[in-house]
Each structure stands twice: as structure tokens, then as C-alpha cells.
Amino acid sequence: MFLKVALLVVFFSVTVLVGVRFRGRAADVKGFVLGGRSVGPWLTAFAYGTSYFSAVVFVGYAGQFGWKFGLSATWIGLGNAFIGSLLPWVILGRRTRVMTRHLNSATMPEFFGKRYGSTNLKIAASIIVFVFLIPYTASLYNGLSRLFEMAFHVDFTICIIAMAVLTGVYVIAGGYFATAVNDFIQGIVMLVGICAIIGAVLSSKGGFTAAIAELAHVEDAGVSGTPGVFASFFGPDPIGLLGVVLLTSLGTWGLPQMVQKFYAIQSEKAIHKGTIISTFFALVIAGGCYFLGGFGRLFFPGVTGTPGGGFDAIIPAMLSGFSDLLIGIVVILVLAASMSTLSSLVMASSSTFTLDFLKGHIVKKMDDKKQLISIRLLIVVFIAISAVIAVLQYKRGIAFIAQLMGISWGALAGSFLAPFLYGLYWKRTNKIAVWCSFLFGSLLMVANMLFRDSFPTILQSPINSGAFAMLAGLIIVPVVSLLTGKPDKKIVDDCFSCYDETVTVKLSEDLGS
């Protein structure tokens, strides 16, 4: 116990010290929210990756989908690396950085408001962000609680308070730059930790080959009658697997806490390096988590259906028999992942609500100092609300981690992905189409939460509904844009003029014509 507590104390001390050290960079709104748009490739890439993966993935998704799909769940990790990390950097990174700087927008709702010339769009987007990030944040606490109970046998409320307070301290003190530095440190912990855990789990089953052979003999008639299906290439449910891959991978393209990382990129070189670093990080972390979860059934011999304690108990059960040192590393890994994601979520939500909802609408005159105070206060409020929801959810068993995250991701990405992507590339996109995407994505996920049994079987899962919302948005936006009036030419020409600016580069970077 002393060893585990010592690791926690060191980790918490470092995160708080980083926040205090970089408090000077959070003296104004631009510095607090975007780090002065001067964040390098390593910090940006790790900030992107650590915001992506948390206890939701390590405990919730890895456990649930590893149990459902077996070893084929590794495809989810590969999708996260290439569709969720590589492609956004290539397709969105540069254009996002250029246009958001040109429009002087610090948040995704502010981008919508200026890109489409609609204050109401900005307000609606800010409300969607604030509302749907709360269940996601609540799921972070719950996932972490399972491991804390296993390792320390402490009340869940203590875990909630510690994580909430310490995350709040370094985010409020140092803003985005301190968050990015902590994300880098926490990312290193995650990389080392996941490699150590996978090695330990496979060793406990006699090595990789022996573990695969044992998994091939696992059967669950309620899932599939095919022998060895949990060790197969595509598993027992390829369609369901595809839905998870789409939601968890394509969803990052429309999540404000992810896309806003591109706002702060320092330079062109930072984009190239960041693309490689971010993809590698996702490959190791996501690929490792889902690969690990694929062996979950080996630790519940003879169990079919849902294991005792639910899907969220699978990963903690796999790790419960290991040494104190390894368990300590596991707790620090998941704590690092959760705190980095939590810091990203509260930054996105509080800055959005202040800059896009309160400023100029609720509070008519809001100078830089008042904006900073509001953002910091809202960080406290947001953390407190999500913590309360997490406790209630845990005590009453309202939903699994994956369901909470599926609702949040589905609503946010289903609403924002298509308008943001088309807004960067297609001049014909209009605000009517954006409204349709906002309404369809958010209302679909609310309906799924309230009237799930009335949905078609394939869409009853929040995961599949979220994936459907995103894909539908990619069709709705262009169709509605073509069927309705053209957008204001002056606004569109001004937005896209930033791409036509001439810059001079060395021949080593571009051979020219």
C-alpha cells in the first residue's frame, strides 16, 4: 500500500507543479484557451492522444468490446490510430489552423458562428457542447473508480474528489499550455504502462501463443456457435464491430475537445511531426487496450452472457492478481489517461460556454479579465456537476461506461462532424444544412437514450446510433445545402480567402512548378 500511495503522491505533485509553473502563460484568454497558438508538435500530438483515450477506453470499451468481439476488438484500436488520429491530422489539421486563425475563433461554436454568419448557430453549438460533454466526463470518473476500489479499497467518493480537485487546480492555474505539458507527461506514463500490462497479462497465461490457443477454445452459444470465433480475424459480429470502429474513430473529427487541438498548432513542421507522433501514440495505446481486452474471457472461465459485476469489472478483474508495483502502475496509467481527458473536456466546455454563450449575449460587456474569471469558475462548476452525476450513476447503476460515452460522442460528432468538415472545404455549405445536422445528431441521441426500445434493433445501441448520426450528417449537409439557398457570397469569400494567401518556402520543402 505504501508503494502505491507513494506513486500517487509523486504523480499528483508533478501535475500540480506543472500548473503552477506555467501559470504565466494563462494571463489572457488567448493564452489560457489556446496557449498563444504556439504549441509544438510533441505537446500537441500527446494532447490529442491523451484527450482521445481515458478510463472510458481502458476500462469500459476494452472490457466490453473485448468480451463481445474477442481478439478482433484490436481492429477498433487500429481504426482509432488510422481513422481517428492519422486522417484528422492530414485532412483537418492544416485547414483548421489556417481558417480559425483567419476568423480569430478560439472554439468550435465560434467557428460555426463566423463561418456561417450566424450568432444563433454559435449559441446552439455552445449549448450542445456544454450539455453532452457532461455524461462523457461522468464516465471518466466511473471507470477510474473500479481500479481505485481494487487497488486501495477506498470509497468511490474519495477517488472522485481527489481527481476532480487536482485536475481543477492545474487547469485553472496554467490553462491550455499547462494542460498540454501534463498531457505529455501523462502520455509517457500511458505508453510505458500499457506495454507493461500487456506483457504481464500474456505471461500469466503462458505467453502470446498459449493465450491465443486458450482463447480459441472459449465458446459462448449466446454469441456464436462457431468454434474459435473469439480468436478469429473479424470475431462473432463484424457489423457490430464496424459500428464501434466508426463511432470511436470517425467521431474524433467532430469532437470539440479534439478539433480544438489543431487551433493551437505552432507551424507547418509541427503538423507533419504531430501526425506521425499522434498516430504512433494511438496505435500503441488504443491497439494495446483493445488487444488486452480481447483476452478478458480467459479470466472468467465458463462464464457466458454478461460477467459478474458487468463489463466494467472485466479489466480490473484481469489485473487484480498482479504485484503491488504493477497495480500501482495500472492505477497511475488510468489516472493519467482520465485526468488528461477530463482537463481537455472542462477546458473545451468552459471556454465554449463563456466565449460563445455568455459573452455578448448574457453578459453584454465582458472584457478579457471577466472572461478569464468566468472560464475558471465554469471549470469548477463543470467538474462539480459531472462528479455528482458520476456518483449517482455509480450508486444506482444507470448505465455502463460505454453507453454514457456513446451518447455523448454520438450527439457531438453527429451534430458537428459534417458541418465542420464541409465548412473547411466546400463553399456551398449553408447554415440551414448546419441546423439540420445539429438537430438530427442531438435529437437522435436524446431519443435513443429515452426511447431505446422503440428503435430498430441495430440502432438500439448508442454506439450504432452515434455512428449512424455521423454518417447521416455527411449526407444531410450536402443534400440540404444543394436544395436550399446559396450562402452569403461575401462571408464565404472572406472565409476562404485565407487559403489563397501566398507564402514563401524553401526549395527543400517545395520544389515549386
Side-chain angles (χ1 to χ4, degrees):
M1 184 62 69
F2 174 79
L3 179 63
K4 289 182 283 190
V5 172
L7 287 172
L8 279 180
V9 170
V10 171
F11 175 76
F12 286 146
S13 299
V14 170
T15 58
V16 172
L17 286 174
V18 167
V20 175
R21 168 66 179 80
F22 291 104
R23 66 186 184 279
R25 287 178 175 261
D28 55 29
V29 172
K30 185 178 179 181
F32 190 90
V33 177
L34 297 177
R37 294 188 191 267
S38 60
V39 184
W42 284 91
L43 294 186
T44 302
F46 271 68
Y48 185 93
T50 54
S51 298
Y52 196 167
F53 308 114
S54 64
V56 175
V57 172
F58 187 79
V59 178
Y61 273 22
Q64 177 168 346
F65 300 125
W67 184 273
K68 288 186 174 182
F69 304 125
L71 206 58
S72 67
T74 308
W75 282 107
I76 305 172
L78 297 178
N80 292 174
F82 295 108
I83 301 174
S85 295
L86 175 64
L87 290 183
W89 277 81
V90 172
I91 296 174
L92 301 179
R94 182 184 295 103
R95 281 186 169 255
T96 299
R97 175 65 169 81
V98 172
M99 188 176 283
T100 56
R101 183 179 183 181
H102 175 70
L103 297 176
N104 194 29
S105 62
T107 65
M108 183 180 274
E110 190 174 18
F111 169 82
F112 288 134
K114 293 183 176 180
R115 167 63 180 84
Y116 298 107
S118 173
T119 301
N120 289 333
L121 269 181
K122 181 181 75 169
I123 295 173
S126 67
I127 294 173
I128 292 172
V129 169
F130 194 79
V131 169
F132 286 102
L133 281 185
I134 290 176
Y136 185 11
T137 310
S139 70
L140 301 181
Y141 292 111
N142 193 350
L144 189 62
S145 72
R146 302 285 182 147
L147 290 174
F148 257 76
E149 286 184 341
M150 176 197 73
F152 298 98
H153 307 292
V154 296
D155 186 74
F156 176 45
T157 307
I158 297 175
C159 167
I160 291 285
I161 294 173
M163 180 177 166
V165 169
L166 291 166
T167 304
V169 167
Y170 79 75
V171 175
I172 290 171
Y176 180 80
F177 199 88
T179 299
V181 173
N182 267 323
D183 287 347
F184 179 77
I185 297 170
Q186 292 159 354
I188 297 296
V189 172
M190 292 166 65
L191 287 171
V192 173
I194 193 65
C195 293
I197 294 165
I198 291 173
V201 168
L202 292 180
S203 295
S204 71
K205 293 298 178 181
F208 175 72
T209 305
I212 293 290
E214 185 177 349
L215 189 63
H217 289 88
V218 173
E219 295 184 5
D220 188 340
V223 176
S224 174
T226 305
V229 69
F230 294 107
S232 64
F233 200 65
F234 289 118
D237 183 12
I239 302 300
L241 178 63
L242 179 61
V244 178
V245 171
L246 287 176
L247 178 69
T248 62
S249 302
L250 193 60
T252 61
W253 296 43
L255 295 178
Q257 74 271 21
M258 305 297 295
V259 174
Q260 282 176 215
K261 299 295 185 291
F262 299 136
Y263 289 34
I265 295 175
Q266 184 178 37
S267 64
E268 178 70 19
K269 288 184 178 179
I271 293 178
H272 294 308
K273 291 181 180 178
T275 303
I276 297 170
I277 297 166
S278 179
T279 304
F280 172 78
F281 184 88
L283 196 61
V284 175
I285 299 299
C289 284
Y290 289 110
F291 175 77
L292 176 68
F295 293 99
R297 286 180 179 266
L298 300 185
F299 293 81
F300 293 83
V303 175
T304 59
T306 304
F311 295 120
D312 302 341
I314 294 174
I315 298 297
M318 293 174 67
L319 305 174
S320 59
F322 293 137
S323 67
D324 288 339
L325 176 61
L326 188 60
I327 290 177
I329 292 173
V330 171
V331 172
I332 297 298
L333 181 160
V334 182
L335 185 65
S338 297
M339 289 180 68
S340 60
T341 304
L342 177 62
S343 65
S344 178
L345 294 176
V346 297
M347 278 289 293
S349 182
S350 59
S351 60
T352 292
F353 203 72
T354 296
L355 301 178
D356 304 321
F357 185 77
L358 297 180
K359 180 185 174 184
H361 306 291
I362 306 300
V363 182
K364 298 299 181 182
K365 293 183 179 180
M366 202 175 196
D367 58 23
D368 200 82
K369 184 178 180 180
K370 290 181 179 178
Q371 291 173 44
L372 271 178
I373 292 173
S374 174
I375 291 172
R376 286 179 162 129
L377 286 175
L378 282 170
I379 287 173
V380 175
V381 171
F382 188 77
I383 289 177
I385 292 173
S386 59
V388 170
I389 292 176
V391 172
L392 292 175
Q393 187 273 329
Y394 178 79
K395 298 290 186 181
R396 300 182 182 181
I398 299 170
F400 289 119
I401 292 173
Q403 290 176 320
L404 284 174
M405 185 177 176
I407 292 167
S408 175
W409 274 49
L412 290 166
S415 299
F416 298 152
L417 190 156
F420 189 79
L421 177 62
Y422 287 118
L424 293 175
Y425 279 91
W426 193 37
K427 294 183 178 182
R428 187 65 173 79
T429 314
N430 64 25
K431 59 185 177 183
I432 298 176
V434 177
W435 275 116
C436 290
S437 182
F438 282 8
L439 292 171
F440 183 83
S442 56
L443 293 179
L444 176 69
M445 296 312 298
V446 170
N448 178 270
M449 180 173 61
L450 298 176
F451 311 107
R452 184 165 300 151
D453 293 339
S454 301
F455 274 57
T457 303
I458 194 172
L459 294 181
Q460 288 184 2
S461 163
I463 305 298
N464 292 342
S465 284
F468 175 74
M470 288 186 291
L471 295 177
L474 293 173
I475 298 172
I476 290 171
V477 169
V479 170
V480 173
S481 293
L482 291 173
L483 293 177
T484 53
K486 293 182 179 180
D488 188 305
K489 187 176 187 300
K490 183 179 179 181
I491 293 176
V492 173
D493 288 344
D494 176 67
C495 291
F496 280 82
S497 65
C498 60
Y499 296 143
D500 298 326
E501 293 180 20
T502 301
V503 295
T504 304
V505 298
K506 297 177 181 179
L507 284 174
S508 60
E509 298 176 12
D510 191 331
L511 292 175
S513 59

